[in-house]
Amino acid sequence: MPVTMFPHADRGPSGGAAAASPAPFAGAAPREAAGTAVPGRAGGLGIADLPWTTAAEDGELVHRFGEALRRRRETSIGYPVNLDVDYRAFGGLLDVLWNTVGDPGPGDPFRPDRQPFERPVVRFLSRLAGGDPDRTYGYVTSGGTEGNLFGLHTGRERLPRAPLYHSAAAHHTVARAAALLRMEAVAVPTRRDGSMDVRALRDACERRAGRGAVVVATVGTTMLGAVDDLLAVRAATAPAGECHLHVDGALGALVAAFAPNPPPWGFDAGADTLAISGHKLIGAPVPCGVVLARDHLVPFPGAAGEYLGARDATLACSRNALAAVLLWYALRRLGRDGLAARAAHCLSVAAYAESRILALGRRCLRHPASLTVVFDRPAPHVCRRWHLAAEGPLAHLVAMPHVTHDTVDRFLEDLAR
């Protein structure tokens, strides 16, 4: 079990989980159609045998939902998603199929399954992660979970007898990936700050000596924002023999890259595969991510067929090409310096929130290279209003790009009451 930051804290005034946020459509409960529809009555979301509303009415429902989401930007501070986005330039591009098939690579750019935007994204992030773009494989995924699954599959193919070691604070989908891949999963205890206990990892490897080790190191754990020590993790696996080190860097990798004292997190720190989210610091408006791997470790399958005209080591094969374009657009607008400035701003806001919470006389924890600020769980109405993520006696805010110093001040006014 993970070690909490405040081991003697009780659940505080909030008790159970925070209540759900109110529905964005007041009085618009979904209506299930039962063979007949009531024409001309907009507001329900049920799907009937035949269309019973106009395209304009349905478009209005979607726009109202979008407006409700837009209004939540001001008080959404609990989850690691970037709400400071504007992709309206793409509004007129939804009348074509954005599909890409197989690995990103050279080919006919006018084929419907080829597009030129994915490769620059992979190459940019490869360099940022300390890799050689010419020796790094990568592609745009549906998100960090697919990236983790790809990395663990790569490790299993490389070391088929190896257990999967992960910290007890790793993302919950890591254990799911182990089940899908039929790998023996070994949860390693965490230290007080939420990072993996490398002594416990070494002990676990000694009990399974010589079988190899597939290890997930987390750069930015879900609740505490902890960063596993990649160099120490790899050293701790020595009793196991050969090691495949996968880094779950969904949010934390790009923050660590630009932190004042960056912790080791990439290929130059021993990573073999690496997963990054695209809808977090970068700020894509849809869930997506990028997985990177040392090219020689990827288990490329045989020929995918002449009709495909490309090799395909991806998990999905047919993939969302629009996500790659959105990532390219965001990174093109930011560049490396802009991404660094964004990370610096977010770290500044996180440090400000930490200092202000401590000034209120409350307990608080933040890793220096993390945007996650952890504190005692406040009252339910505060959790609801600010969409805080909570677990047991703790809650946290995440200083994403849309969270400003003023946002923190307004939150603290509620917290102090």
Side-chain angles (χ1 to χ4, degrees):
M1 295 294 292
V3 178
T4 62
M5 178 182 70
F6 308 138
H8 302 298
D10 59 21
R11 291 184 63 82
S14 62
S21 300
F25 302 144
R31 177 175 53 203
E32 296 295 331
T36 59
V38 181
R41 289 183 60 188
L45 301 180
I47 300 173
D49 294 338
L50 295 172
W52 54 279
T53 55
T54 66
E57 288 174 330
D58 289 347
E60 176 62 20
L61 283 176
V62 176
H63 279 282
R64 284 170 59 193
F65 187 79
E67 285 300 319
L69 294 179
R70 191 171 290 112
R71 288 193 297 272
R72 288 185 181 180
R73 291 178 181 176
E74 296 298 316
T75 54
S76 293
I77 65 174
Y79 292 87
V81 289
N82 182 1
L83 303 183
D84 184 18
V85 297
D86 186 352
Y87 291 84
R88 285 174 291 184
F90 290 79
L93 297 176
L94 298 182
D95 59 347
V96 295
L97 174 63
W98 291 92
N99 180 54
T100 190
V101 180
D103 294 347
D108 181 358
F110 296 101
R111 281 181 51 174
D113 60 347
R114 312 297 291 164
Q115 49 86 2
F117 299 95
E118 188 170 18
R119 294 179 71 202
V121 171
V122 171
R123 292 181 67 85
F124 173 82
L125 293 176
S126 298
R127 287 192 296 271
L128 196 60
D132 179 351
D134 294 326
R135 297 181 180 179
T136 303
Y137 172 84
Y139 71 94
V140 173
T141 65
S142 60
T145 297
E146 182 184 341
N148 288 340
L149 183 60
F150 180 92
L152 298 183
H153 175 258
T154 301
R156 191 201 64 178
E157 293 299 292
R158 177 184 175 189
L159 303 170
R161 295 180 58 247
L164 167 61
Y165 299 92
H166 63 85
S167 90
H171 197 272
H172 72 276
T173 56
V174 170
R176 182 186 304 166
L180 288 170
L181 296 170
R182 297 185 180 274
M183 301 177 73
E184 176 190 352
V186 180
V188 179
T190 60
R191 300 188 302 175
R192 184 177 176 84
D193 66 356
S195 64
M196 187 186 297
D197 185 334
V198 292
R199 291 185 179 180
L201 173 62
R202 186 178 186 89
D203 291 342
C205 289
E206 286 177 346
R207 291 193 293 270
R208 300 164 181 83
R211 292 177 54 189
V214 176
V215 184
V216 175
T218 308
V219 180
T221 59
T222 305
M223 192 62 205
L224 300 186
V227 177
D228 291 338
D229 185 337
L230 267 64
L231 301 178
V233 164
R234 184 173 276 281
T237 63
E242 191 173 3
C243 171
H244 180 93
L245 180 58
H246 173 74
V247 174
D248 177 2
L251 168 64
L254 295 183
V255 178
F258 301 110
N261 295 296
W265 66 275
F267 291 116
D268 50 357
D272 294 310
T273 50
L274 174 69
I276 298 172
S277 286
H279 53 285
K280 293 185 168 67
L281 191 69
I282 296 174
V286 295
C288 60
V290 175
V291 66
L292 304 171
R294 298 180 189 273
D295 190 271
H296 70 279
L297 299 178
V298 177
F300 292 106
E306 185 178 356
Y307 76 97
L308 187 59
R311 70 180 187 178
D312 180 22
T314 70
L315 296 184
C317 184
S318 183
R319 298 179 290 108
N320 183 349
L322 185 56
V325 178
L326 294 171
L327 287 176
W328 171 86
Y329 179 82
L331 292 172
R332 180 96 155 181
R333 303 270 57 78
L334 286 167
R336 191 183 189 283
D337 290 349
L339 196 59
R342 173 171 290 181
H345 164 75
C346 293
L347 286 166
S348 170
V349 173
Y352 176 73
E354 178 187 18
S355 66
R356 288 292 312 277
I357 293 171
L358 289 171
L360 290 176
R362 295 173 179 261
R363 294 175 296 182
C364 187
L365 174 73
R366 183 181 72 90
H367 188 283
S370 174
L371 307 184
T372 303
V373 184
V374 189
F375 43 87
D376 283 316
R377 185 172 183 160
H381 73 277
V382 177
C383 290
R384 282 196 303 271
R385 180 170 187 235
W386 293 96
H387 305 279
L388 298 181
E391 183 176 285
L394 304 178
H396 73 214
L397 67 84
V398 187
M400 298 305 293
H402 66 280
V403 179
T404 65
H405 293 79
D406 179 66
T407 308
V408 171
D409 288 340
R410 289 186 289 109
F411 164 67
L412 291 174
E413 289 177 3
D414 281 355
L415 188 65
R417 288 173 184 160

PDB file of all heavy atoms in Angstrom, residues 69-85:
ATOM      1  N   LEU A  69     -18.659  23.597 -20.189  1.00  0.00           N
ATOM      2  CA  LEU A  69     -17.269  23.205 -19.947  1.00  0.00           C
ATOM      3  C   LEU A  69     -16.348  24.420 -19.923  1.00  0.00           C
ATOM      4  O   LEU A  69     -15.417  24.497 -19.115  1.00  0.00           O
ATOM      5  CB  LEU A  69     -16.803  22.226 -21.029  1.00  0.00           C
ATOM      6  CG  LEU A  69     -17.487  20.855 -21.058  1.00  0.00           C
ATOM      7  CD1 LEU A  69     -16.935  20.030 -22.205  1.00  0.00           C
ATOM      8  CD2 LEU A  69     -17.289  20.119 -19.741  1.00  0.00           C
ATOM      9  N   ARG A  70     -16.610  25.378 -20.797  1.00  0.00           N
ATOM     10  CA  ARG A  70     -15.773  26.574 -20.859  1.00  0.00           C
ATOM     11  C   ARG A  70     -15.886  27.378 -19.560  1.00  0.00           C
ATOM     12  O   ARG A  70     -14.901  27.917 -19.071  1.00  0.00           O
ATOM     13  CB  ARG A  70     -16.181  27.423 -22.067  1.00  0.00           C
ATOM     14  CG  ARG A  70     -15.233  28.562 -22.393  1.00  0.00           C
ATOM     15  CD  ARG A  70     -15.584  29.223 -23.716  1.00  0.00           C
ATOM     16  NE  ARG A  70     -15.287  28.355 -24.842  1.00  0.00           N
ATOM     17  CZ  ARG A  70     -16.200  27.813 -25.634  1.00  0.00           C
ATOM     18  NH1 ARG A  70     -17.487  28.050 -25.425  1.00  0.00           N
ATOM     19  NH2 ARG A  70     -15.850  27.023 -26.626  1.00  0.00           N
ATOM     20  N   ARG A  71     -17.088  27.449 -18.989  1.00  0.00           N
ATOM     21  CA  ARG A  71     -17.265  28.198 -17.746  1.00  0.00           C
ATOM     22  C   ARG A  71     -16.530  27.543 -16.580  1.00  0.00           C
ATOM     23  O   ARG A  71     -16.144  28.211 -15.626  1.00  0.00           O
ATOM     24  CB  ARG A  71     -18.758  28.333 -17.421  1.00  0.00           C
ATOM     25  CG  ARG A  71     -19.516  29.290 -18.334  1.00  0.00           C
ATOM     26  CD  ARG A  71     -20.881  29.613 -17.768  1.00  0.00           C
ATOM     27  NE  ARG A  71     -21.736  28.432 -17.668  1.00  0.00           N
ATOM     28  CZ  ARG A  71     -22.521  28.000 -18.645  1.00  0.00           C
ATOM     29  NH1 ARG A  71     -22.553  28.627 -19.813  1.00  0.00           N
ATOM     30  NH2 ARG A  71     -23.276  26.936 -18.469  1.00  0.00           N
ATOM     31  N   ARG A  72     -16.330  26.240 -16.648  1.00  0.00           N
ATOM     32  CA  ARG A  72     -15.664  25.536 -15.560  1.00  0.00           C
ATOM     33  C   ARG A  72     -14.168  25.815 -15.488  1.00  0.00           C
ATOM     34  O   ARG A  72     -13.513  25.425 -14.521  1.00  0.00           O
ATOM     35  CB  ARG A  72     -15.890  24.032 -15.703  1.00  0.00           C
ATOM     36  CG  ARG A  72     -17.302  23.582 -15.386  1.00  0.00           C
ATOM     37  CD  ARG A  72     -17.413  22.079 -15.434  1.00  0.00           C
ATOM     38  NE  ARG A  72     -18.770  21.639 -15.164  1.00  0.00           N
ATOM     39  CZ  ARG A  72     -19.150  20.362 -15.150  1.00  0.00           C
ATOM     40  NH1 ARG A  72     -18.259  19.420 -15.408  1.00  0.00           N
ATOM     41  NH2 ARG A  72     -20.400  20.037 -14.895  1.00  0.00           N
ATOM     42  N   ARG A  73     -13.621  26.443 -16.503  1.00  0.00           N
ATOM     43  CA  ARG A  73     -12.183  26.739 -16.477  1.00  0.00           C
ATOM     44  C   ARG A  73     -11.788  27.511 -15.225  1.00  0.00           C
ATOM     45  O   ARG A  73     -10.706  27.325 -14.676  1.00  0.00           O
ATOM     46  CB  ARG A  73     -11.782  27.559 -17.707  1.00  0.00           C
ATOM     47  CG  ARG A  73     -11.852  26.819 -19.024  1.00  0.00           C
ATOM     48  CD  ARG A  73     -11.471  27.762 -20.150  1.00  0.00           C
ATOM     49  NE  ARG A  73     -11.554  27.113 -21.447  1.00  0.00           N
ATOM     50  CZ  ARG A  73     -11.348  27.721 -22.611  1.00  0.00           C
ATOM     51  NH1 ARG A  73     -11.042  29.009 -22.620  1.00  0.00           N
ATOM     52  NH2 ARG A  73     -11.438  27.063 -23.743  1.00  0.00           N
ATOM     53  N   GLU A  74     -12.662  28.397 -14.777  1.00  0.00           N
ATOM     54  CA  GLU A  74     -12.328  29.290 -13.671  1.00  0.00           C
ATOM     55  C   GLU A  74     -12.163  28.559 -12.349  1.00  0.00           C
ATOM     56  O   GLU A  74     -11.517  29.064 -11.436  1.00  0.00           O
ATOM     57  CB  GLU A  74     -13.404  30.374 -13.537  1.00  0.00           C
ATOM     58  CG  GLU A  74     -13.507  31.299 -14.735  1.00  0.00           C
ATOM     59  CD  GLU A  74     -12.218  32.064 -14.961  1.00  0.00           C
ATOM     60  OE1 GLU A  74     -11.641  32.565 -13.982  1.00  0.00           O
ATOM     61  OE2 GLU A  74     -11.779  32.152 -16.115  1.00  0.00           O
ATOM     62  N   THR A  75     -12.771  27.380 -12.222  1.00  0.00           N
ATOM     63  CA  THR A  75     -12.732  26.684 -10.930  1.00  0.00           C
ATOM     64  C   THR A  75     -12.287  25.230 -11.071  1.00  0.00           C
ATOM     65  O   THR A  75     -12.480  24.443 -10.134  1.00  0.00           O
ATOM     66  CB  THR A  75     -14.122  26.716 -10.259  1.00  0.00           C
ATOM     67  OG1 THR A  75     -15.102  26.190 -11.167  1.00  0.00           O
ATOM     68  CG2 THR A  75     -14.496  28.136  -9.858  1.00  0.00           C
ATOM     69  N   SER A  76     -11.697  24.846 -12.169  1.00  0.00           N
ATOM     70  CA  SER A  76     -11.221  23.469 -12.348  1.00  0.00           C
ATOM     71  C   SER A  76      -9.720  23.425 -12.081  1.00  0.00           C
ATOM     72  O   SER A  76      -8.914  23.728 -12.967  1.00  0.00           O
ATOM     73  CB  SER A  76     -11.530  22.972 -13.770  1.00  0.00           C
ATOM     74  OG  SER A  76     -12.924  22.834 -13.967  1.00  0.00           O
ATOM     75  N   ILE A  77      -9.366  23.064 -10.845  1.00  0.00           N
ATOM     76  CA  ILE A  77      -7.953  23.085 -10.471  1.00  0.00           C
ATOM     77  C   ILE A  77      -7.464  21.735  -9.951  1.00  0.00           C
ATOM     78  O   ILE A  77      -6.303  21.609  -9.583  1.00  0.00           O
ATOM     79  CB  ILE A  77      -7.679  24.170  -9.404  1.00  0.00           C
ATOM     80  CG1 ILE A  77      -8.403  23.856  -8.098  1.00  0.00           C
ATOM     81  CG2 ILE A  77      -8.090  25.547  -9.926  1.00  0.00           C
ATOM     82  CD1 ILE A  77      -8.049  24.807  -6.967  1.00  0.00           C
ATOM     83  N   GLY A  78      -8.322  20.724  -9.946  1.00  0.00           N
ATOM     84  CA  GLY A  78      -7.952  19.477  -9.303  1.00  0.00           C
ATOM     85  C   GLY A  78      -7.385  18.406 -10.199  1.00  0.00           C
ATOM     86  O   GLY A  78      -6.848  17.414  -9.704  1.00  0.00           O
ATOM     87  N   TYR A  79      -7.469  18.576 -11.509  1.00  0.00           N
ATOM     88  CA  TYR A  79      -7.063  17.506 -12.415  1.00  0.00           C
ATOM     89  C   TYR A  79      -6.026  18.003 -13.412  1.00  0.00           C
ATOM     90  O   TYR A  79      -6.051  19.174 -13.819  1.00  0.00           O
ATOM     91  CB  TYR A  79      -8.289  16.918 -13.129  1.00  0.00           C
ATOM     92  CG  TYR A  79      -9.184  16.173 -12.156  1.00  0.00           C
ATOM     93  CD1 TYR A  79     -10.180  16.840 -11.445  1.00  0.00           C
ATOM     94  CD2 TYR A  79      -8.989  14.823 -11.899  1.00  0.00           C
ATOM     95  CE1 TYR A  79     -10.975  16.174 -10.526  1.00  0.00           C
ATOM     96  CE2 TYR A  79      -9.777  14.145 -10.987  1.00  0.00           C
ATOM     97  CZ  TYR A  79     -10.765  14.822 -10.296  1.00  0.00           C
ATOM     98  OH  TYR A  79     -11.543  14.160  -9.378  1.00  0.00           O
ATOM     99  N   PRO A  80      -5.126  17.120 -13.845  1.00  0.00           N
ATOM    100  CA  PRO A  80      -3.987  17.556 -14.676  1.00  0.00           C
ATOM    101  C   PRO A  80      -4.329  17.679 -16.148  1.00  0.00           C
ATOM    102  O   PRO A  80      -3.760  17.000 -17.002  1.00  0.00           O
ATOM    103  CB  PRO A  80      -2.954  16.449 -14.428  1.00  0.00           C
ATOM    104  CG  PRO A  80      -3.777  15.227 -14.210  1.00  0.00           C
ATOM    105  CD  PRO A  80      -5.000  15.694 -13.463  1.00  0.00           C
ATOM    106  N   VAL A  81      -5.292  18.522 -16.456  1.00  0.00           N
ATOM    107  CA  VAL A  81      -5.644  18.790 -17.847  1.00  0.00           C
ATOM    108  C   VAL A  81      -5.520  20.280 -18.110  1.00  0.00           C
ATOM    109  O   VAL A  81      -5.855  21.099 -17.252  1.00  0.00           O
ATOM    110  CB  VAL A  81      -7.066  18.296 -18.186  1.00  0.00           C
ATOM    111  CG1 VAL A  81      -7.113  16.777 -18.215  1.00  0.00           C
ATOM    112  CG2 VAL A  81      -8.097  18.826 -17.187  1.00  0.00           C
ATOM    113  N   ASN A  82      -5.037  20.622 -19.269  1.00  0.00           N
ATOM    114  CA  ASN A  82      -4.820  22.015 -19.646  1.00  0.00           C
ATOM    115  C   ASN A  82      -6.080  22.542 -20.312  1.00  0.00           C
ATOM    116  O   ASN A  82      -6.450  22.095 -21.403  1.00  0.00           O
ATOM    117  CB  ASN A  82      -3.617  22.101 -20.593  1.00  0.00           C
ATOM    118  CG  ASN A  82      -3.301  23.526 -20.999  1.00  0.00           C
ATOM    119  OD1 ASN A  82      -3.962  24.471 -20.579  1.00  0.00           O
ATOM    120  ND2 ASN A  82      -2.279  23.688 -21.828  1.00  0.00           N
ATOM    121  N   LEU A  83      -6.751  23.493 -19.674  1.00  0.00           N
ATOM    122  CA  LEU A  83      -7.968  24.075 -20.235  1.00  0.00           C
ATOM    123  C   LEU A  83      -7.711  25.402 -20.935  1.00  0.00           C
ATOM    124  O   LEU A  83      -8.645  26.037 -21.416  1.00  0.00           O
ATOM    125  CB  LEU A  83      -9.007  24.261 -19.122  1.00  0.00           C
ATOM    126  CG  LEU A  83      -9.390  22.987 -18.355  1.00  0.00           C
ATOM    127  CD1 LEU A  83     -10.471  23.291 -17.326  1.00  0.00           C
ATOM    128  CD2 LEU A  83      -9.843  21.895 -19.301  1.00  0.00           C
ATOM    129  N   ASP A  84      -6.457  25.822 -21.000  1.00  0.00           N
ATOM    130  CA  ASP A  84      -6.100  27.057 -21.697  1.00  0.00           C
ATOM    131  C   ASP A  84      -5.812  26.724 -23.155  1.00  0.00           C
ATOM    132  O   ASP A  84      -4.664  26.717 -23.604  1.00  0.00           O
ATOM    133  CB  ASP A  84      -4.884  27.698 -21.028  1.00  0.00           C
ATOM    134  CG  ASP A  84      -4.534  29.044 -21.647  1.00  0.00           C
ATOM    135  OD1 ASP A  84      -5.399  29.620 -22.328  1.00  0.00           O
ATOM    136  OD2 ASP A  84      -3.392  29.488 -21.464  1.00  0.00           O
ATOM    137  N   VAL A  85      -6.861  26.401 -23.899  1.00  0.00           N
ATOM    138  CA  VAL A  85      -6.702  25.936 -25.275  1.00  0.00           C
ATOM    139  C   VAL A  85      -7.588  26.752 -26.205  1.00  0.00           C
ATOM    140  O   VAL A  85      -8.619  27.272 -25.803  1.00  0.00           O
ATOM    141  CB  VAL A  85      -7.054  24.437 -25.404  1.00  0.00           C
ATOM    142  CG1 VAL A  85      -6.107  23.585 -24.574  1.00  0.00           C
ATOM    143  CG2 VAL A  85      -8.500  24.159 -24.996  1.00  0.00           C
TER     144      VAL A  85
END
